[in-house]
Amino acid sequence: MNTICRTVINPEKTAFQLLGGAALSYDELEDASLRTANWFRSLGLKRGDHIAFMLENRCELVSLCWAAQRCGLYYTLIASHLKADEAAYITDNCDAILVATSPRFADMWRGLKTRLDRVRHWVNVEGEQDGFLSLEANAENYPSTPSEEEYEGSSMLYSSGTTGKPKGVIRPTNATPFGQERLSPIYQDYYGMDETTVYLSPAPLYHAAPLRCVMAIHRIGGTVLAMEKFDAERMLAAVERYQVTHVQLVPTMMRRLVDLPDNIREKYDLSSLKIIVHAAAPCPIDLKQTAINWFGPIVCEYYGSTEGVGVTYITSEEWLSRKGSVGRAIIGEPHIIGKDGSELPAGEVGEIYFANGPAFEYYNDPEKTAAAANAQGWVTLGDIGSLDEDGYLYLTDRKSFTINSGGVNIYPKEIEDILRAHEDVADVAVISAPNREFGEEVKAVVQLRRPSTDPDATEKDLIAHCRTHISHVKCPKSVDFVDQLPHSDAGKLLKGELKKRYWKEDGLACQ
């Protein structure tokens, strides 16, 4: 029998626990995933089919992922902050034939049913509701024995681009028998994770990095703790109480931690921590230095993407001698390419490409897949940076005009399209503005059709207009008004000129 983890001696060991209390032992996780997988098969789901989940951090999310994983399914986790139209687009685009959700989101999905003809099965994780099957009531009718043929499935998560439309990142199926998936070397070789690991995930599991880390730890045999919502002091208390060894943060979380009063920071015993890893957004040098001063040289960083074509890694010791670097490659081979397509020498800034990384495609979009590669087959995500003589990577800019707020990528075109639909808006540019806590925030610069007699009221109206269509996370925090937006002679909006009003050339906020 292929199991989730072959290293756990005690099946009663905790596999997953919410800080709120609910938990699954390895035995319970194995049982739930097997029963759910057998139920999925009875519904006609077969290897290579697609399903989708929208759930808050909870035990059922983990058991559903493992059920899909051992059925050979592609499973897409939809961010819980998305609005109906956004969730519907991803569900339709990923060809999901089953959607699982919780009562928190059931009303939204109920309203989408007539728009999602491909979905044949609607599942609620907390009992049967109008139009939704009960996960537990149905799964418990099936045996907790493995199928004769179990193959590895795969998450298919979404990464947006500058067009604003999310792209599903899919990896080719390889018919790997379940239980024989090879782990990325980052977890054991670089993070030092093993069966004694106690990993704390303060982030939503629908993000690629937390989900992949949770699944890897279960294969290794460690314990995963998850927060329903990040709270800085509560995280420190959890480290002490559960003797957490590993935690993964984004810079916004680090900022909230270091901003705690000294008496709170000194209140908890954090000596169990072996690794604090951060990623997902650029980390200000002063913030990282403060974190290292506090936690010690256990703060490491990686740079990667949902596409997974390349990963770099850097330790505290390396970073202290190369401040600002995101490390050397541990997956893929980085190259810096100039505007003419030629490779640039060390120290020169250009577009970052990775060679010889894992294969991927943008689901049902061969044109976007092809556009990400150059003639040599090296792949870029549009990030800009440089390499030093020793192969350490430095990021100069992020994907063109993408806003990264607290580790969440926000794509301006989607917001601009919504604002342009407002009757008062003649033209608009959405850009990033400095935010001390989140790094960046969404700023809308608007050219009105006619001058406003009450700019404050107009600003509130435009923000409210956005909030009716998209997640509040994506909505502008503020709106500035201009008589005329800057355009080139060819009519191209010059966002770079606008950003200079809010950012210095060195990337710092204007005073």
Side-chain angles (χ1 to χ4, degrees):
M1 172 182 172
N2 291 323
T3 61
I4 292 170
C5 178
R6 295 189 297 272
T7 65
V8 174
I9 298 174
N10 177 13
E12 298 305 312
K13 179 179 180 177
T14 299
F16 181 85
Q17 180 173 347
L18 289 170
L19 293 190
L24 285 172
S25 67
Y26 270 94
D27 189 50
E28 290 168 332
L29 179 57
E30 194 77 47
D31 182 86
S33 68
L34 280 165
R35 292 181 187 277
T36 303
N38 286 325
W39 178 42
F40 282 170
R41 294 186 185 95
S42 77
L43 295 175
L45 298 178
K46 58 186 183 301
R47 184 162 68 93
D49 283 343
H50 294 249
I51 61 178
F53 312 140
M54 180 185 266
L55 293 161
E56 61 272 38
N57 282 3
R58 57 189 300 152
C59 293
E60 292 88 350
L61 175 57
V62 179
S63 62
L64 279 165
C65 288
W66 276 113
Q69 189 75 37
R70 72 192 313 151
C71 277
L73 302 174
Y74 286 108
Y75 51 102
T76 294
L77 275 64
I78 300 174
S80 59
H81 61 74
L82 295 184
K83 299 287 188 177
D85 288 347
E86 299 164 304
Y89 172 81
I90 292 175
T91 305
D92 184 64
N93 185 262
C94 77
D95 291 330
I97 57 178
L98 179 147
V99 169
T101 191
S102 71
R104 178 177 167 186
F105 311 107
D107 286 344
M108 184 191 77
W109 286 106
R110 194 174 287 111
L112 291 173
K113 280 191 170 186
T114 57
R115 295 170 52 182
L116 298 170
D117 296 337
R118 190 178 288 107
V119 180
R120 301 200 302 265
H121 310 289
W122 298 88
V123 179
N124 177 35
V125 299
E126 287 189 22
E128 188 170 348
Q129 287 192 357
D130 180 29
F132 292 86
L133 299 172
S134 167
L135 171 64
E136 182 179 6
N138 283 276
E140 69 180 5
N141 292 325
Y142 290 84
S144 58
T145 52
S147 168
E148 292 182 1
E149 292 187 351
E150 288 190 316
Y151 293 100
E152 291 281 358
S154 177
S155 60
M156 190 181 92
L157 306 181
Y158 273 70
S159 175
S160 293
T162 54
T163 62
K165 284 294 186 183
K167 303 184 295 288
V169 177
I170 190 168
R171 290 174 174 78
T173 56
N174 55 10
T176 301
F178 179 75
Q180 298 182 28
E181 181 84 357
R182 294 182 62 186
L183 284 174
S184 167
I186 194 170
Y187 301 110
Q188 292 167 296
D189 297 348
Y190 291 89
Y191 295 167
M193 291 177 170
D194 57 25
E195 66 275 7
T196 68
T197 292
V198 180
Y199 169 74
L200 175 61
S201 179
L205 298 184
Y206 54 70
H207 286 304
L211 177 66
R212 289 170 179 168
C213 199
V214 166
M215 303 294 274
I217 290 168
H218 283 160
R219 292 188 192 275
I220 295 168
T223 292
V224 174
L225 303 172
M227 300 181 74
E228 296 90 337
K229 183 179 181 181
F230 177 73
D231 177 270
E233 183 177 359
R234 192 169 183 230
M235 194 205 92
L236 297 181
V239 170
E240 179 181 86
R241 177 180 177 184
Y242 295 100
Q243 293 295 284
V244 171
T245 59
H246 295 70
V247 64
Q248 186 166 200
L249 305 171
V250 299
T252 296
M253 296 173 182
M254 291 174 63
R255 175 69 71 186
R256 292 180 182 177
L257 285 164
V258 302
D259 280 351
L260 288 170
D262 289 345
N263 64 315
I264 299 297
R265 288 171 51 176
E266 296 167 1
K267 180 179 177 180
Y268 299 98
D269 179 1
L270 309 179
S271 60
S272 63
L273 283 172
K274 297 179 179 179
I275 289 287
I276 296 173
V277 60
H278 71 93
C283 185
I285 289 176
D286 67 319
L287 172 59
K288 185 159 183 175
Q289 182 70 69
T290 302
I292 293 174
N293 293 343
W294 177 17
F295 295 112
I298 63 171
V299 181
C300 65
E301 179 178 4
Y302 71 89
Y303 162 71
S305 66
T306 303
E307 288 84 348
V309 294
V311 176
T312 67
Y313 178 83
I314 192 166
T315 65
S316 289
E317 291 87 351
E318 291 173 302
W319 184 87
L320 288 169
S321 63
R322 294 176 170 84
K323 292 183 179 181
S325 174
V326 293
R328 289 191 289 189
I330 60 174
I331 296 176
E333 301 167 4
H335 300 267
I336 307 300
I337 305 300
K339 292 181 180 179
D340 63 355
S342 62
E343 187 163 7
L344 299 176
E348 293 197 25
V349 174
E351 193 165 3
I352 303 166
Y353 281 76
F354 281 93
N356 301 319
F360 84 98
E361 297 175 1
Y362 291 122
Y363 185 60
N364 283 342
D365 204 329
E367 291 184 2
K368 286 182 180 177
T369 303
N374 64 5
Q376 292 96 330
W378 304 345
V379 176
T380 182
L381 304 174
D383 289 336
I384 306 298
S386 62
L387 290 166
D388 68 14
E389 294 286 353
D390 297 317
Y392 283 85
L393 181 65
Y394 294 78
L395 301 180
T396 302
D397 201 354
R398 294 172 283 288
K399 300 173 189 177
S400 182
F401 302 129
T402 299
I403 301 166
N404 192 304
S405 184
V408 177
N409 284 338
I410 300 170
Y411 303 94
K413 185 177 183 299
E414 181 181 23
I415 308 165
E416 289 166 352
D417 289 344
I418 290 169
L419 283 169
R420 285 193 180 102
H422 193 283
E423 61 183 5
D424 293 336
V425 175
D427 202 0
V428 59
V430 171
I431 60 174
S432 67
N435 182 292
R436 183 177 183 276
E437 182 177 13
F438 292 96
E440 297 181 348
E441 68 180 43
V442 180
K443 164 80 72 176
V445 184
V446 171
Q447 178 182 325
L448 294 171
R449 296 187 183 277
R450 61 193 66 82
S452 174
T453 58
D454 189 345
D456 290 342
T458 303
E459 177 183 36
K460 291 178 181 178
D461 180 52
L462 293 177
I463 294 173
H465 171 73
C466 289
R467 284 176 170 255
T468 63
H469 294 281
I470 56 175
S471 165
H472 73 279
V473 174
K474 301 179 184 179
C475 292
K477 302 298 183 189
S478 60
V479 180
D480 287 355
F481 299 101
V482 295
D483 293 332
Q484 188 74 41
L485 287 170
H487 289 81
S488 69
D489 292 339
K492 183 178 180 181
L493 182 62
L494 300 176
K495 286 190 176 180
E497 294 298 315
L498 286 173
K499 290 188 71 173
K500 289 179 182 178
R501 302 178 187 180
Y502 307 96
W503 299 90
K504 298 178 183 178
E505 289 186 4
D506 59 4
L508 300 175
C510 291
Q511 299 297 318

